[in-house]
Amino acid sequence: MSELYSKHAVKYDNMIQTNIYNAMYDFPSMTALIGDVAGLDIVDLGCGSGVYAQYFLDKHAAQITCVDASPEMIDIVQSKLGAQVNTHVIDVAQGLSVLHTDSADRVVSALMIHYLADLDSLCAEVNRILKQGGQFIFSTHHPFADFECSASGNYFERELVTDTWDTVGEPVTVQFYRRSLTEITTALTNNGFVISAITEGEVLEQAKTICEKTYRYLSTHPNFLFVRAVKEKR
Ligand SMILES: C[S@@+](CC[C@H](N)C(=O)[O-])C[C@H]1O[C@@H](n2cnc3c(N)ncnc32)[C@H](O)[C@@H]1O
């Protein structure tokens, strides 16, 4: 796990509330796919500092369960939201055994799945915990965007990429998996999901006022992928 989500968790929380990539691109694109959550039971995988959990509370979700591998992130969620949400420190690569079968209306995961080598097992577990007709909505790096970092030059080969990000105002090393669109969609359809939407999102125009160059880049290049999949069978 990158220090971005442990040592720098507090700084990360501050930055993503207003930055372009999270607040003006990922968040509006994800919430557009998530839709109405009033009265629903929601699991947030890789919840980070609870930005989405706060949104689900504001939108009157019935029950919110926040899961993250980083104890520092879960501490932030607990300090902000307390008993309004359930929290678990879990590496989701090890499974979701603490979460009950057929218990969730929505499983949401913003910008987390690219940290997992095995997407197939995650989809099987998400399918298990969702109620029939429940939805798995996630965002991840766009397969084409990450292809620029490919060492192999083989788009179809899954690769562990090492990169340096300036999200918290200083360079931090991050490792994540680059995988093809086929690998993402097959993990879903092999595990009882029907894909109901795939988008490449849209950056808000107000991003221009922060950085015209980034706004122009995100308006003209795919960077994240947004997927909504519906549980059709176990
Ligand atoms: C880019 S952050 C996104 C946080 C939050 N979803 C948001 O959009 O504000 C990715 C989060 O995934 C968590 N994460 C990474 N690998 C994980 C794993 N294997 N199991 C659970 N959480 C993980 C990190 O600790 C971090 O909080």
Side-chain angles (χ1 to χ4, degrees), residues 139-190:
S139 55
T140 188
H141 296 178
H142 195 290
F144 198 74
D146 284 347
F147 189 43
E148 288 171 7
C149 311
S150 169
S152 74
N154 179 354
Y155 169 82
F156 293 103
E157 191 178 292
R158 185 188 324 124
E159 285 177 292
L160 186 61
V161 174
T162 303
D163 204 356
T164 304
W165 294 350
D166 276 325
T167 318
V168 292
E170 62 182 282
V172 180
T173 302
V174 180
Q175 285 197 310
F176 55 87
Y177 289 92
R178 186 198 66 74
R179 50 169 56 90
S180 68
L181 181 60
T182 301
E183 184 176 329
I184 295 170
T185 56
T186 305
L188 290 165
T189 53
N190 278 354

Side-chain angles (χ1 to χ4, degrees), residues 89-100:
V89 177
I90 295 177
D91 174 357
V92 304
Q94 306 303 315
L96 302 171
S97 55
V98 295
L99 303 179
H100 295 299

Side-chain angles (χ1 to χ4, degrees), residues 1 5 12 22 26 30 43-48 52 67-70 90-96 107-119 122-123 126 136-141 165 174-177 179 224-225:
M1 155 102 41
Y5 307 127
Y12 181 83
N22 297 83
D26 177 69
M30 274 291 278
V43 175
D44 185 350
L45 297 179
C47 62
Y52 280 87
V67 173
D68 203 285
S70 160
I90 295 177
D91 174 357
V92 304
Q94 306 303 315
L96 302 171
V107 174
V108 169
S109 188
L111 300 176
M112 191 280 290
I113 66 159
H114 39 263
Y115 297 112
L116 306 179
D118 181 359
L119 191 53
L122 177 77
C123 289
V126 171
F136 179 27
I137 301 131
F138 63 86
S139 55
T140 188
H141 296 178
W165 294 350
V174 180
Q175 285 197 310
F176 55 87
Y177 289 92
R179 50 169 56 90
F224 294 159
L225 191 74

Side-chain angles (χ1 to χ4, degrees), residues 58-73:
D58 294 344
K59 297 291 177 189
H60 311 292
Q63 186 163 261
I64 301 157
T65 302
C66 291
V67 173
D68 203 285
S70 160
E72 290 86 353
M73 287 295 188

